């Protein structure tokens, strides 16, 4: 079951109590964002080998939400298995991050995991001034509640907000092989996410051929993925930098997450014209 639960984690496929009344209300940092905004929706097909296994959606709410007295984008990732795959592995997962509009840091992270009989519901509140994370999680039994506070690094990201932060990075002058380092918090632990820029190429999606930037997050040694460079993420090579394709090589087969529909982009998508 643990291996199955990781199937949709490549999409991505990424805390403390709220600010007190006397806490400062300015953002701990300011990040220039010209890539995404409210109302953006991107939809994907998830292929496990030759099987059309699932669908996933990444979307930003039309509204600005206030969390910890900060204006936030609400970014939600949902994944659900379908067809024959749904018969033996039923997945209904929701991942959500409230992302500070100025700092692109998470103020709150939420996930609801439903995978066959497995259940987990978790909320993480971030305090970026004290570098703390407050976690509350519930398993299948609603009375089984776990709470904890954890020290986290400056500018820590969750799994969802981390991808949105990468979309704000300027790749125009990056050299092939250059690394971008981001620290994240997941499953009550801090982890280092080192992402290597692998250059530009055209990739084929169900929406057409897109000019893309290839990024490879370094994977720690594990029993699921084949090597450190097992996952490739392709962002559109334009001002949107939306994820258009994910590829993962696993010991049990290959996973491909392929964009097939999009709407609400801030800029025109970098499609390759047909001959």
């Amino acid at each position: 079951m643990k291996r199955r639960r990781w199937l949709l984690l490549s999409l991505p496929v990424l805390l403390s109590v709220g600010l007190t009344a006397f806490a400062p209300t300015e953002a701990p940092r300011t990040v220039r964002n010209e890539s995404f905004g409210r109302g953006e929706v991107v939809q994907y097909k998830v292929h496990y080998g030759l099987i059309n296994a699932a669908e996933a959606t990444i979307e930003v709410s039309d509204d600005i939400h206030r969390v910890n007295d900060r204006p936030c984008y609400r970014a939600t990732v949902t994944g659900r298995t379908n067809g024959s795959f749904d018969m033996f592995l039923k997945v209904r997962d929701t991942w959500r991050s409230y992302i500070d509009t100025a700092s692109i840091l998470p103020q709150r992270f939420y996930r609801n995991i439903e995978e066959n009989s497995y259940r987990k519901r978790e909320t993480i509140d971030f305090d970026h001034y004290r570098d703390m994370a407050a976690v509350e999680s519930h398993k299948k039994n609603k009375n089984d509640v776990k709470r904890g506070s954890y020290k986290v690094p400056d500018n820590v990201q969750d799994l969802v907000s981390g991808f949105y932060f990468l979309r704000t990075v300027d790749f125009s002058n990056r050299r092939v092989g250059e690394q971008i380092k981001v620290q994240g918090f997941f499953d009550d632990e801090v982890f280092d996410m080192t992402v290597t820029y692998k250059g530009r190429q055209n990739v084929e999606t169900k929406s057409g051929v897109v000019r893309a930037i290839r990024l490879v997050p370094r994977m720690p040694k594990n029993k699921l993925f084949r090597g450190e460079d097992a996952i490739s993420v392709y962002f559109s090579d334009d001002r949107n930098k939306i994820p258009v394709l994910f590829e993962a090589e696993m010991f049990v087969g290959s996973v491909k997450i392929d964009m097939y529909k999009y709407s609400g982009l801030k800029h025109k998508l970098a499609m390759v014209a047909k001959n």
Side-chain angles (χ1 to χ4, degrees), residues 9 17 28 41 44 58 64 68 109 117 128 148 158-159 168 174 179 182 188 192 214 218 229 231 234 254 257:
L9 288 183
V17 295
V41 182
Y44 303 86
I58 303 176
I64 294 294
N68 296 336
F109 175 71
S117 61
H128 293 285
D158 60 41
L159 288 181
T168 69
R174 296 276 176 173
Q179 294 182 336
V182 180
D188 302 343
D192 293 320
R214 182 186 173 210
R218 179 184 297 167
D229 298 341
I231 298 177
Y234 298 86
S254 60
I257 303 174

Side-chain angles (χ1 to χ4, degrees), residues 1 3-8 48 53-54 80-92 114-117:
M1 177 57 65
R3 179 172 291 179
R4 290 176 178 176
R5 290 202 300 270
W6 272 90
L7 175 60
L8 295 177
Y48 184 60
R80 57 184 294 137
T81 48
N82 53 27
S84 60
F85 209 83
D86 206 41
M87 300 293 290
F88 68 93
L89 174 59
K90 186 175 182 179
V91 173
R92 302 290 187 269
E114 297 183 10
E115 297 171 356
N116 282 348
S117 61

Side-chain angles (χ1 to χ4, degrees), residues 166 169-181 194-201 212-218 229 231-237 241:
L166 285 175
V169 175
D170 183 2
F171 292 97
S172 58
N173 295 315
R174 296 276 176 173
R175 300 183 303 275
V176 174
E178 191 170 347
Q179 294 182 336
I180 302 144
K181 295 186 178 182
T194 300
V195 179
T196 302
Y197 169 62
K198 293 288 188 176
R200 290 169 162 81
Q201 65 184 83
I213 296 164
R214 182 186 173 210
L215 301 175
V216 175
R218 179 184 297 167
D229 298 341
I231 298 177
S232 291
V233 182
Y234 298 86
F235 284 177
S236 60
D237 186 13
K241 295 193 280 289

Side-chain angles (χ1 to χ4, degrees), residues 28-29 103-106 128 131 152-157 182-184:
R29 71 177 184 189
S103 66
I104 315 299
L105 292 172
H128 293 285
D131 289 336
V152 294
D154 286 343
N155 301 326
V156 71
Q157 305 282 167
V182 180
Q183 289 188 296

Side-chain angles (χ1 to χ4, degrees), residues 11-24:
L11 177 67
V13 251
L14 190 221
L15 304 162
S16 160
V17 295
L19 297 176
T20 67
F22 302 101

Side-chain angles (χ1 to χ4, degrees), residues 27 31 33 36 64-65 70-73 99-105:
V31 172
N33 170 32
F36 66 89
I64 294 294
H65 298 255
R70 294 292 308 164
C72 295
Y73 299 113
I99 305 170
D100 191 294
T101 58
S103 66
I104 315 299
L105 292 172

Side-chain angles (χ1 to χ4, degrees), residues 20-49:
T20 67
F22 302 101
T25 57
E26 73 278 3
R29 71 177 184 189
T30 300
V31 172
R32 185 176 180 180
N33 170 32
E34 297 180 347
S35 297
F36 66 89
R38 293 179 289 173
E40 179 186 275
V41 182
V42 188
Q43 295 173 270
Y44 303 86
K45 300 286 187 182
V46 182
H47 302 276
Y48 184 60

